[in-house]
């Protein structure tokens, strides 16, 4: 997909393979179960305190981002590292390619990093002649499959072990049985050779500590540590939103991240990297570069509501709990970031002209906000972005078609005036009659057919208000008054009619 392609979520949903929803739900339900256990151990009151603390830390950092980024740059340089600033994806790729050419890099290994996925770094390196291999098991699998990640922390969640076995057999030329332990052993053998042969290691970071210039990398496989210590050159590409003030902040966020992501009290490996190898160190890279990536993040900061998108710590729990994501998987979103966080982050990074469909890829059930460890108001941001798509705002102009914009305004006017709404609902009972089939509307004309293309719409009953009125004393009294009024009206009409008839006979 080119950078200018519009993401058609509805069309993508039509092409989701049949096995994907089952594979996704199997994994996400497991993560939610383990998360519930570890959160239960902490206790709800303490967990809510941690969530609020995490929210406050992240929001404070965003409010003072310029200060903390400057402090981070100073401390990385003090530790012997080299800091680069990248305004967009093109500039970030060019910086990494220049570093690779300068050091005559032929082979690179990469730890899982959504920022490098965001800028398409793998393709750029491979096109430039640098053999680049993903070393996170999930990323390694999807690199073999030639697709992008379908989950923030479990990129190959859409695949079955049988599918992975077939992939290994085809791509690696080995006899791979559909056994998870055997498949891990095959990948481990391949990756060990690559770690030792690589000229450059590439990583992202979960957090960047401003007070010391330290990168914090959380993994469960140890591949992050191998990528950042074995090759002589380490390049980290990290979004500017990942900076945090100090280690006290990291202490809070590391309590939230693994519990929310995989239901672990802490991840297997947590690496703290401050600059390149020192003279007294036994190992580590001889040179360390940090590429600070903007790529639209400062634009996100301009809106006081949607800016809270950047609080995200990439745990992926909003995907696990999302009914839409669980039905369609990550690739239907057509962007690097999927699920609820992708539905609010991608339109802001890519623009609503390209990703304006994604804010509508939600049921607005609010489960994502209830589970988010840093309390991102995702439903509120979704509504804000839907408004941006339809009406436009100070960030971007509207991109919805004229028909949708007019329909939305008419709908908003009707729904905000009770008499008009009630009259319209009653009229719908007659208008829908030719289309009604057994209490459902299976096919509607455009633009309402956008709903019925996916599922039938329940027929309009227009009986709720009457039903509700009859269930309350005030409502029953109102109904009785209305009946009395109607009765008196008909009686008056009948009396007037009788009077006129009698007068006519008399004349």
């Amino acid at each position: 997909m080119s950078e200018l392609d519009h993401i058609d979520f509805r069309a993508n949903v039509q092409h989701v393979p049949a096995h994907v929803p089952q594979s996704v739900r199997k994994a996400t339900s497991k993560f939610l179960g383990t998360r519930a256990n570890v959160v239960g151990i902490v206790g709800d009151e303490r967990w809510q305190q941690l969530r609020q603390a995490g929210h406050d830390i992240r929001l404070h950092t965003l409010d003072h981002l310029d200060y903390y980024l400057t402090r981070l740059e100073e401390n990385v340089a003090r530790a012997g590292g080299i800091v680069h600033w990248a305004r967009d994806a093109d500039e970030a790729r060019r910086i990494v390619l220049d570093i690779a050419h300068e050091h005559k890099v032929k082979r690179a290994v990469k730890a899982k990093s959504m920022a490098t996925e965001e800028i398409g770094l793998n393709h750029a390196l491979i096109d430039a002649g640098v053999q680049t291999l993903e070393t996170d098991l999930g990323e390694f699998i999807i690199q073999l499959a030639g697709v992008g990640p379908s989950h923030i922390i479990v990129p190959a969640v859409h695949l079955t072990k049988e599918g992975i076995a077939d992939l290994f057999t085809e791509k690696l030329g080995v006899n791979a049985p559909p056994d998870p332990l055997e498949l891990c052993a095959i990948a481990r053998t391949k990756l060990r050779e690559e770690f030792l042969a690589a000229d450059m290691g590439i990583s992202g970071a979960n957090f960047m500590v401003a007070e010391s210039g330290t990168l914090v990398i959380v993994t469960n496989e140890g591949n992050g540590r191998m990528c950042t210590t074995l090759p002589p050159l380490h390049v980290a590409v990290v979004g500017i939103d990942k900076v945090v003030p100090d280690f006290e902040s990291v202490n809070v966020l590391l309590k939230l991240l693994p519990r929310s992501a995989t239901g672990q009290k802490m991840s297997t490996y947590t690496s703290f990297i401050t600059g390149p190898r020192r003279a007294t160190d036994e190992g580590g890279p001889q040179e360390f570069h940090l590429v600070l990536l903007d790529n639209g993040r400062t634009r996100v900061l301009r809106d006081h509501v949607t800016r809270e998108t950047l609080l995200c710590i990439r745990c992926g729990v909003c995907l696990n709990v999302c009914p839409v994501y669980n039905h369609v998987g990550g690739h239907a979103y057509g962007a690097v970031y999927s699920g609820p966080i992708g539905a609010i982050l991608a339109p802001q990074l890519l623009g609503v002209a390209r990703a304006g469909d994604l804010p509508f890829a939600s049921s607005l059930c609010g489960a994502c906000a209830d589970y988010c460890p840093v309390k991102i108001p995702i439903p509120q941001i979704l509504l804000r972005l839907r408004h941006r798509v339809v009406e436009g705002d100070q960030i971007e102009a509207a991109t919805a078609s004229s028909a949708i914009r007019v329909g939305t305004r008419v709908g908003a006017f009707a729904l905000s005036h009770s008499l008009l709404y009630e009259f319209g609902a009653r009229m719908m009972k007659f208008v829908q009659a030719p289309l009604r089939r057994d209490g459902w509307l299976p096919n509607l004309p455009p633009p309402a057919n956008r709903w019925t293309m996916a599922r039938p719409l329940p027929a309009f009953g227009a009986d709720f208000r009457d039903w509700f009125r009859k269930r309350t004393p005030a409502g029953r009294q109102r109904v009785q008054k209305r009946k009395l009024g109607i009765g008196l009206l008909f009686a008056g009409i009948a009396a007037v009619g009788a009077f006129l008839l009698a007068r006519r006979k008399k004349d």
Side-chain angles (χ1 to χ4, degrees):
M1 183 170 59
S2 78
E3 292 187 356
L4 298 179
D5 283 342
H6 172 71
I7 296 173
D8 191 339
F9 181 78
R10 197 174 307 277
N12 294 344
V13 167
Q14 307 301 316
H15 299 98
V16 173
H19 73 274
V20 167
Q22 184 179 0
S23 298
V24 170
R25 284 197 290 268
K26 182 178 179 180
T28 55
S29 61
K30 179 182 177 182
F31 287 140
L32 289 176
T34 53
R35 174 195 174 277
N37 290 336
V38 294
V39 170
I41 293 172
V42 172
D44 186 64
E45 183 178 354
R46 176 59 177 155
W47 181 248
Q48 296 306 326
Q49 291 172 349
L50 284 170
R51 290 181 71 206
Q52 188 60 49
H55 174 88
D56 294 346
I57 290 168
R58 297 290 289 144
L59 193 57
H60 166 81
T61 312
L62 286 184
D63 288 341
H64 303 84
L65 194 58
D66 52 347
Y67 167 76
Y68 287 115
L69 286 173
T70 303
R71 197 173 179 202
L72 172 76
E73 181 183 30
E74 293 170 352
N75 287 320
V76 169
R78 187 172 292 118
I82 302 169
V83 177
H84 309 262
W85 296 84
R87 285 168 295 190
D88 52 31
D90 288 339
E91 193 167 12
R93 288 193 298 263
R94 182 182 56 75
I95 291 169
V96 178
L97 288 173
D98 287 347
I99 296 170
H101 290 156
E102 182 183 343
H103 292 79
K104 298 181 172 52
V105 172
K106 299 295 182 186
R107 305 178 77 159
V109 287
K110 191 161 82 63
K112 182 169 180 282
S113 160
M114 296 303 288
T116 55
E117 292 285 345
E118 182 184 321
I119 63 173
L121 183 59
N122 278 13
H123 294 297
L125 286 168
I126 292 170
D127 290 345
V130 179
Q131 181 181 322
T132 307
L133 190 71
E134 294 285 352
T135 61
D136 173 272
L137 179 59
E139 290 281 333
F140 175 68
I141 291 169
I142 64 170
Q143 187 181 25
L144 289 178
V147 297
S150 64
H151 191 287
I152 288 177
I153 63 166
V154 197
V157 70
H158 59 290
L159 294 176
T160 62
K161 61 180 184 297
E162 289 79 11
I164 296 171
D166 292 342
L167 189 66
F168 278 20
T169 301
E170 177 189 351
K171 300 291 184 179
L172 300 179
V174 298
N175 182 22
D179 177 77
L181 292 178
E182 292 285 342
L183 294 171
C184 285
I186 292 170
R188 188 181 298 118
T189 302
K190 170 68 175 173
L191 293 174
R192 278 178 177 169
E193 299 170 0
E194 298 293 333
F195 284 130
L196 294 170
D199 308 304
M200 177 169 70
I202 304 170
S203 77
N206 293 89
F207 307 108
M208 302 182 294
V209 186
E211 72 171 355
S212 62
T214 302
L215 300 190
V216 182
I217 301 176
V218 176
T219 69
N220 274 320
E221 302 167 17
N223 61 305
R225 184 168 297 182
M226 303 288 268
C227 282
T228 57
T229 56
L230 283 177
L233 174 64
H234 176 203
V235 178
V237 182
V238 190
I240 57 175
D241 51 314
K242 294 294 187 71
V243 67
V244 295
D246 48 32
F247 282 102
E248 286 298 320
S249 305
V250 174
N251 184 35
V252 172
L253 296 171
L254 285 182
K255 287 183 171 67
L256 293 167
L257 176 58
R259 284 181 169 87
S260 302
T262 53
Q264 296 170 279
K265 293 180 181 177
M266 61 185 299
S267 296
T268 308
Y269 298 91
T270 303
S271 302
F272 297 84
I273 301 167
T274 308
R277 175 197 301 182
R278 298 172 184 78
T280 55
D281 291 341
E282 294 182 356
Q286 299 164 6
E287 195 167 311
F288 168 67
H289 294 257
L290 173 61
V291 182
L292 292 171
L293 178 68
D294 183 332
N295 202 31
R297 287 165 174 78
T298 50
R299 186 176 57 195
V300 177
L301 288 171
R302 291 169 55 191
D303 188 304
H304 71 281
V305 174
T306 63
R307 68 184 329 204
E308 293 201 30
T309 306
L310 298 181
L311 303 181
C312 180
I313 57 174
R314 306 288 191 269
C315 69
V317 71
C318 62
L319 283 71
N320 298 340
V321 77
C322 177
V324 176
Y325 175 85
N326 275 277
H327 274 82
V328 302
H331 290 153
Y333 291 80
V336 170
Y337 304 98
S338 57
I341 189 62
I344 60 173
L345 181 57
Q348 296 184 76
L349 296 182
L350 303 175
V352 294
R354 184 183 176 198
D357 276 9
L358 298 185
F360 297 89
S362 168
S363 66
L364 292 179
C365 67
C368 48
D370 292 340
Y371 276 71
C372 178
V374 289
K375 305 179 78 169
I376 301 174
I378 295 177
Q380 186 181 352
I381 297 174
L382 285 168
L383 291 175
R384 184 82 164 193
L385 293 173
R386 289 183 183 188
H387 177 82
R388 181 178 296 175
V389 172
V390 177
E391 299 286 341
D393 60 14
Q394 76 279 13
I395 307 297
E396 288 187 272
T399 57
S401 66
S402 300
I404 290 178
R405 295 170 65 182
V406 171
T408 303
R409 288 175 181 170
V410 171
F413 182 80
L415 291 172
S416 60
H417 293 77
S418 59
L419 289 177
L420 186 59
Y421 168 78
E422 193 164 357
F423 175 75
R426 291 185 182 281
M427 289 301 297
M428 282 301 297
K429 295 179 68 172
F430 302 100
V431 173
Q432 69 183 352
L435 304 171
R436 184 167 178 162
R437 302 287 185 275
D438 298 326
W440 293 87
L441 302 173
N443 296 295
L444 291 175
N449 66 341
R450 296 184 66 182
W451 177 280
T452 56
M453 285 169 62
R455 59 189 69 84
L457 184 71
F460 293 95
D463 299 326
F464 175 74
R465 292 193 172 199
D466 287 340
W467 174 85
F468 187 75
R469 288 184 187 120
K470 292 174 183 174
R471 294 181 67 85
T472 62
R476 285 193 291 270
Q477 191 175 12
R478 187 177 176 185
V479 171
Q480 288 174 354
K481 287 182 178 178
R482 177 178 293 182
K483 287 181 178 177
L484 179 61
I486 293 174
L488 290 174
L489 176 64
F490 278 105
I493 294 173
V496 171
F499 171 76
L500 293 176
L501 184 60
R503 186 174 179 178
R504 185 176 180 183
K505 287 181 178 177
K506 187 177 179 181
D507 292 341

